[in-house]
Every structure is written in C-alpha cells, then in structure tokens.
Amino acid sequence: MRDSLKQLEAESIFVLREVAAQFERPILLFSGGKDSILMAWLARKAFWPARSPFPLVHIDTGHNFPETIEFRDRLVEEYGATLHVGSVQASIDAGRVKEEEGPNPSRNGLQTVTLLDTIAELGADCALGGGRRDEEKARAKERFFSHRNRFGEWDPKNQRPELWNLFNGRRNPGEHFRAFPLSNWTELDVWRYIEREQVPMPSLYFSHRRRVVRREGVLLAESEFNRLLPGESWEELTVRFRTIGDATCTGATESVASDLGEIIAEVAAIRTTERGGRSDDRRSEAAMEDRKKQGYF
C-alpha cells in the first residue's frame, strides 16, 4: 500500500509540474473539499521550498457550509497562497445567470458561468481540478489534460491521446485546459494518503450531530438555504459528509466514523460512490456530463 501511494503521489506531482511547465497562467480550483485540499498539499510538495505557482480559485455559490469557508481561509493563510473568489451571487446580480425558481433553489448548476467568467478575467490558460475517475461515469472519460474550446465546452468524443505520459497542452487563442492530477486516485487512496501525511481536513468529514431532513433519499443539512417542504420535519442524526459542496444539494451520510482510521474502514466497506449523496447528480442520468460539456468543473 505504501508503494501504491508513492506511485500515485509521484504521478500527481509529475502532472502538476507539467502544468507549470506548459502553461503561463495556471490556476488551482479550490472548493474546500478533500480532493482540492489534497491537490494543494501535493502542489506545495511539488515545488518546495518555493511556493506553489498556482493561485487558488474558489467559485463561491453563496450556499457554503460555514466550516468550509473557515477552513479555506486558514489554509490560505498557512500556505501563503493567493486566493481569488468568483461569486455566483455577483453573476446573478449582473444578470449573467438566473436563480432557479421554486423552493430551495440550488446554485450548483450556476457555477459554470461564474467559473468561465473567472477564468477569462484571470486570463488563465489551465485550471487544475481535483476530479477523479472513480467518482462518476462522466469523469471517468476525462484525460489528465482536458481541452476546452473558446466557449469553455468539453467534447468527450474528441480528446487528445495521452501515451507514455506525454501531455499535449497546445491550444488556440481563447481556448484553455482543465488538468486533473488526481485522475487515478480512488476515494480510499485519498483517505489513506491523508492519514499517512496527516493532512488537515474540515470537521464536516468526521461524524457529528446535525439536524437534517430526508428528501428523495438524500439527507440535507439544516441551514438558512434549506427550508422544509410540506410534510417534512428536521431530525437530529449522527452524520458526516463524504463530499463537500453547495449546502442545498450536498447530502450527509449516517456514520459514526470520527477519525481517519474509522473513515478508511467505512470507505473500504461501502458500495456507493461518494457522489451518491449529491441531489444535483440525480436530476438525470447524464446530469454531470451535460454540465461538463457546457464548461462545468
């Protein structure tokens, strides 16, 4: 296991260094979740003792868990990183996107426009993401270097070959790339590496008592953004989050895993993917792929 983690670490660091070598203005997309935290950790190792060359970019829906923002700000200070925040609320105010109608609207899908606007504003030619191929079938189609056209669109049927770790970052004006250094990691690999390296994580990942509502098979946490629908009620459960995102669509998991060892044992035994608790992915079979084609993460 130690050898496999070393191989994954070496592969990710190689990709990070390739991005730094091939692109002029790369950025690192930072959600405050475990994968983006791990990617920032690996970037720090890849370029030590110099600072990581990648500014952190957080696309803020305005519907974040408070713990996520607190952790993000602590990490930025500790790493001495540059942080740029793209605001979905600002996109709404500017008329760039329209808030969903109906009760408890989610802003997760609105992030695409804000992300593309932020990439254009920063003049970024590559955006590093923490996506992994085991998360979801659309993400399994990604290359390490994922080409996006001048509209930010992804074409899964027309990707560049990647033979012998040769990455083609050639682009035309207005185009950019997404790069995924963690492509070959699994959720279990991530947690085992976090345990080995003792990477700090937000408290949301560990079991705690929280008021939630059961909605269409998802446990949504009580917040100012989630309001009860007719016939619903809050209940207090011991839960943790396997993935962290917009509070309106990120579901909790009933769990008593309160430390890294217990999380690793739980992940090793579970048979559902971590995104199984994301209500936005349940809107259609191709929900993620449709959003990715439009320019989403």
Side-chain angles (χ1 to χ4, degrees):
M1 180 53 62
R2 285 195 298 271
D3 288 343
S4 67
L5 290 178
K6 285 182 180 179
Q7 289 173 4
L8 288 169
E9 179 189 66
E11 179 181 65
S12 297
I13 286 176
F14 176 78
V15 174
L16 288 163
R17 289 173 176 166
E18 278 292 302
V19 168
Q22 293 197 38
F23 298 98
E24 296 180 4
R25 292 177 298 277
I27 59 176
L28 191 154
L29 300 177
F30 188 84
S31 67
K34 66 182 183 307
D35 298 317
S36 60
I37 294 169
L38 174 57
M39 196 162 52
W41 178 275
L42 289 168
R44 192 165 69 154
K45 293 189 74 171
F47 299 97
W48 186 266
R51 289 186 180 179
S52 166
F54 310 123
L56 304 184
V57 174
H58 179 210
I59 303 303
D60 183 2
T61 65
H63 290 171
N64 295 287
F65 293 97
E67 297 94 330
T68 302
I69 302 301
E70 292 168 7
F71 185 92
R72 179 201 70 185
D73 293 342
R74 287 200 307 272
L75 182 142
V76 167
E77 182 177 0
E78 178 185 346
Y79 285 21
T82 300
L83 174 67
H84 184 93
V85 178
S87 169
V88 172
Q89 183 61 56
S91 298
I92 294 171
D93 294 342
R96 295 283 293 147
V97 292
K98 183 180 179 181
E99 188 93 70
E100 285 186 357
E101 297 180 356
N104 301 305
S106 172
R107 292 183 174 181
N108 207 45
L110 306 186
Q111 293 181 88
T112 299
V113 171
T114 307
L115 171 58
L116 294 177
D117 286 349
T118 302
I119 287 173
E121 177 188 340
L122 297 176
D125 48 8
C126 182
L128 287 154
R132 307 188 325 271
R133 290 173 179 148
D134 74 318
E135 287 182 275
E136 200 273 342
K137 57 188 177 183
R139 290 187 175 179
K141 299 178 181 180
E142 286 277 21
R143 302 285 197 268
F144 279 104
F145 276 25
S146 180
H147 174 264
R148 304 299 169 104
N149 67 20
R150 63 190 181 92
F151 301 107
E153 297 169 331
W154 172 64
D155 182 0
K157 296 181 180 179
N158 187 28
Q159 298 188 78
R160 298 174 181 180
E162 292 182 343
L163 306 175
W164 306 293
N165 286 335
L166 297 176
F167 303 132
N168 182 356
R170 186 174 181 179
R171 65 186 185 89
N172 295 315
E175 299 175 345
H176 73 277
F177 275 77
R178 310 288 171 87
F180 301 99
L182 305 183
S183 290
N184 287 333
W185 296 63
T186 66
E187 183 185 10
L188 188 58
D189 292 328
V190 169
W191 282 113
R192 284 175 168 157
Y193 186 85
I194 287 168
E195 181 187 45
R196 192 190 79 175
E197 298 281 305
Q198 289 298 295
V199 182
M201 285 286 126
S203 60
L204 289 167
Y205 282 115
F206 303 93
S207 66
H208 56 283
R209 298 291 289 178
R210 186 177 288 262
R211 278 160 58 91
V212 297
V213 61
R214 298 179 187 270
R215 182 175 300 161
E216 298 179 354
V218 176
L219 297 177
L220 293 178
E222 181 181 24
S223 75
E224 61 181 300
F225 318 115
N226 291 330
R227 297 176 177 82
L228 295 176
L229 301 179
E232 293 182 338
S233 61
W234 299 112
E235 56 182 313
E236 187 171 294
L237 299 174
T238 300
V239 301
R240 74 177 191 88
F241 292 85
R242 293 177 67 192
T243 179
I244 295 176
D246 191 306
T248 62
C249 61
T250 303
T253 299
E254 290 192 71
S255 171
V256 295
S258 58
D259 60 37
L260 291 174
E262 291 176 346
I263 289 175
I264 289 169
E266 181 181 89
V267 171
I270 205 162
R271 291 295 175 264
T272 57
T273 67
E274 64 208 89
R275 293 192 67 91
R278 294 291 292 266
S279 61
D280 55 322
D281 288 351
R282 299 186 177 198
R283 294 190 175 191
S284 76
E285 276 291 312
M288 172 63 79
E289 183 159 337
D290 289 342
R291 294 204 304 275
K292 285 178 67 66
K293 287 178 180 178
Q294 295 164 6
Y296 181 73
F297 178 76

